[in-house]
Amino acid sequence: MKPRVLVVQTGGTLAMGAHGATLSLSAGPRDLLSLVPQLAEIADLEVQPLFNLDSGDLQPAHWLAIARAVHAALGRDDLAGVVVTHGTDTMAYSASALAFLLGPLPKPVIFTGAQRPLADVRTDARSNLVDATLGATLAVPEVAIAFGSQILRGCRTMKADAWALDAFASPACRPLVELGIDVSVAPHVRRSGALRPLDERIEPRVLAVRVFPGLDPRIVIGALRTGEGVRGLVLEAYGTGNLPNAAGSSLIPALEEAAARAVPVVVVSQCPRGHVELARYEGGAAAARAGAIDGGDMTVEAALAKLMIGLGRFDRRADLRAFLCADVAGERTALAAVTG
Ligand code: ASP
């Protein structure tokens, strides 16, 4: 008997068609799966259209809607796994958010999409859908992204190429599955775990700030003081977590302002490879003294999603810090493994 896979549809280029020079969802095909009949050879498919949006329009409320649909599916005994079709622009954010929202997984949850519409002759959507559907039948109980003949850990990925067909990179984590002539599942795939009740608490009022020469710390302080209220900050620092510390341009007063307002600050690196080690330079060390949290080798996408979900779940700052520093879904290498 063939395994059964649920395909949750959310939109993206895969479902688009050309409207003059602009790709649009309204011009896309209505029934995606009829364009790839080969999928039926891999699995019995059940399709759930959830919404039909450019992923640039997705918000945390949409993450929750996807998480609800996926969570319900994961509780079903008749399903081997779930595929989520999704635009590429924010797929790494959604996949990261789902990894944290869902926790341990009994089955695979495989996001996929395409750089060119499924209706195009020269499309990557067909092979990505085939790989994602196959991935959903394998022993890969993770939230992952199937793209460019690889299945990558979702909370480690970033959209790294705007135009190439292998659009996603996972610089700090090797692929979970390589789909070449053979299909090989890597040994570092996480173990399956029992599904937990879905915890929907999330605090979206976070901000990411990229550190750059010329960044006026008063702008960051101003953001922290606005009426809307920033509840958490991700700082994209230089290299190993370094940031400006000289009089006039130092970001430390901004971090002290954040600490005074109980706003957690997670420091990640602008470098796609390598990890933060705040003590390495004086700027980072001063940030740590001001309460900044070492983001290790988390991607910005993972750090933002984790911060939103952590802020929603934990009132005590110590609990939030412990959550942010822990490896929850394979999103960060344990510190001892990095430094030791
Ligand atoms: N703008 C599209 C989206 O993210 C891009 C894509 O799917 O490749 O929905």
Side-chain angles (χ1 to χ4, degrees), residues 210-217 236 238 243-244 249 251 270:
R210 185 178 176 90
V211 177
F212 57 91
L215 172 61
D216 187 335
E236 296 175 49
Y238 303 129
L243 41 84
S249 57
L251 274 176
Q270 293 175 15

Side-chain angles (χ1 to χ4, degrees), residues 8-17 23-32 47-58 62 65-66 84-87 117-118:
V8 176
Q9 295 177 316
T10 75
T13 295
L14 179 141
M16 292 186 187
L23 289 176
S24 107
L25 282 153
S26 56
R30 292 284 147 258
D31 178 10
L32 300 182
V47 180
Q48 182 179 354
L50 196 60
F51 36 79
N52 197 22
L53 291 171
D54 188 302
S55 77
D57 285 324
L58 298 194
H62 295 100
I66 302 172
V84 181
T85 61
H86 192 290
L118 181 55

Side-chain angles (χ1 to χ4, degrees), residues 19-197:
H19 218 114
T22 304
L23 289 176
S24 107
L25 282 153
S26 56
R30 292 284 147 258
D31 178 10
L32 300 182
L33 299 180
S34 67
L35 290 171
V36 202
Q38 309 90 310
L39 294 177
E41 292 177 27
I42 303 171
D44 284 331
L45 295 180
E46 185 178 319
V47 180
Q48 182 179 354
L50 196 60
F51 36 79
N52 197 22
L53 291 171
D54 188 302
S55 77
D57 285 324
L58 298 194
Q59 298 295 326
H62 295 100
W63 300 344
L64 292 176
I66 302 172
R68 257 176 242 129
V70 170
H71 188 268
L74 291 173
R76 283 172 49 182
D77 291 337
D78 62 327
L79 290 176
V82 182
V83 169
V84 181
T85 61
H86 192 290
T88 60
D89 287 340
T90 66
M91 194 186 294
Y93 293 90
S94 296
S96 297
L98 254 76
F100 301 126
L101 286 167
L102 296 169
L105 294 178
K107 298 167 190 177
V109 177
I110 315 289
F111 278 69
T112 198
Q115 292 279 65
R116 295 180 65 93
L118 181 55
D120 281 10
V121 172
R122 202 170 63 74
T123 182
D124 54 329
R126 202 171 299 122
S127 56
N128 287 342
L129 275 170
V130 166
D131 290 350
T133 305
L134 181 64
T137 68
L138 300 175
V140 182
E142 299 211 23
V143 179
I145 290 181
F147 224 94
S149 301
Q150 294 184 323
I151 296 182
L152 307 171
R153 179 171 293 159
C155 57
R156 289 285 196 162
T157 59
M158 53 187 64
K159 185 173 178 181
D161 201 318
W163 290 91
L165 298 187
D166 60 340
F168 286 89
S170 168
C173 180
R174 283 173 291 109
L176 302 177
V177 184
E178 305 254 24
L179 299 121
I181 290 178
D182 288 327
V183 174
S184 66
V185 179
H188 61 282
V189 169
R190 290 169 75 78
R191 294 223 183 90
S192 65
L195 191 63
R196 295 185 188 149

